[in-house]
Amino acid sequence: MTSVNSSSVTTSVELAPNYKIPLVLVGLSLPILLIQPWIGGIFSLFGLFLMFQTVAIRLQFTETALDVYRSGQLIRQFPYQDWQNWEIFWSKVPILFYFKEVKSIHFLPIIFDAKMLRTCLEKYCSKE
């Protein structure tokens, strides 16, 4: 995605949604519901919650910050200059994205394209 201003051209990359984790959680909850309804219900609700988040949340990498959008509205910006570290856990089956800012840490489930996430992180926030 490229945004054009009258004075300059800025480039941003929006990560595509990935429904694997929510679908796996909902799928696993079905047999568990037969054995332990409470536990299966918890798995199912969490999977449905992540499904909703996958539909509603978008991450966009710009030249200066990671922008978080919910239903098309910008809700938060994380300037790269404040980042100290980042990590994608379980690289073969990425499920969790962690990054640390000067004043806080953040954990996000991988509900977006993990390969493009890594590519953007390496481009905009090198680990040095």
Side-chain angles (χ1 to χ4, degrees):
M1 171 182 198
T2 302
S3 303
V4 178
N5 294 341
S6 59
S7 61
S8 66
V9 175
T10 59
T11 303
S12 62
V13 177
E14 182 173 307
L15 300 181
N18 183 331
Y19 297 91
K20 289 180 186 174
I21 292 175
L23 289 174
V24 166
L25 285 172
V26 170
L28 286 175
S29 73
L30 298 176
I32 296 172
L33 277 168
L34 299 173
I35 301 166
Q36 290 289 330
W38 283 101
I39 294 173
I42 291 169
F43 270 82
S44 182
L45 286 174
F46 186 57
L48 292 173
F49 169 75
L50 286 180
M51 183 77 69
F52 172 75
Q53 294 292 61
T54 305
V55 170
I57 301 292
R58 292 292 174 266
L59 297 183
Q60 192 173 87
F61 285 86
T62 67
E63 294 297 322
T64 58
L66 171 63
D67 296 344
V68 180
Y69 289 85
R70 181 184 307 133
S71 302
Q73 182 178 4
L74 179 66
I75 59 172
R76 185 85 193 265
Q77 286 188 311
F78 298 99
Y80 305 132
Q81 66 187 11
D82 295 341
W83 290 38
Q84 294 181 326
N85 192 17
W86 62 266
E87 190 69 44
I88 296 176
F89 292 106
W90 294 0
S91 60
K92 291 184 181 185
V93 183
I95 61 167
L96 192 62
F97 166 48
Y98 152 85
F99 69 98
K100 181 179 181 196
E101 290 184 291
V102 175
K103 295 183 181 180
S104 60
I105 62 171
H106 307 277
F107 290 94
L108 300 166
I110 304 286
I111 54 174
F112 27 78
D113 183 353
K115 288 180 183 176
M116 184 56 75
L117 171 65
R118 180 173 295 283
T119 300
C120 289
L121 288 168
E122 290 170 350
K123 177 182 178 183
Y124 295 110
C125 313
S126 66
K127 288 187 173 185
E128 296 175 20

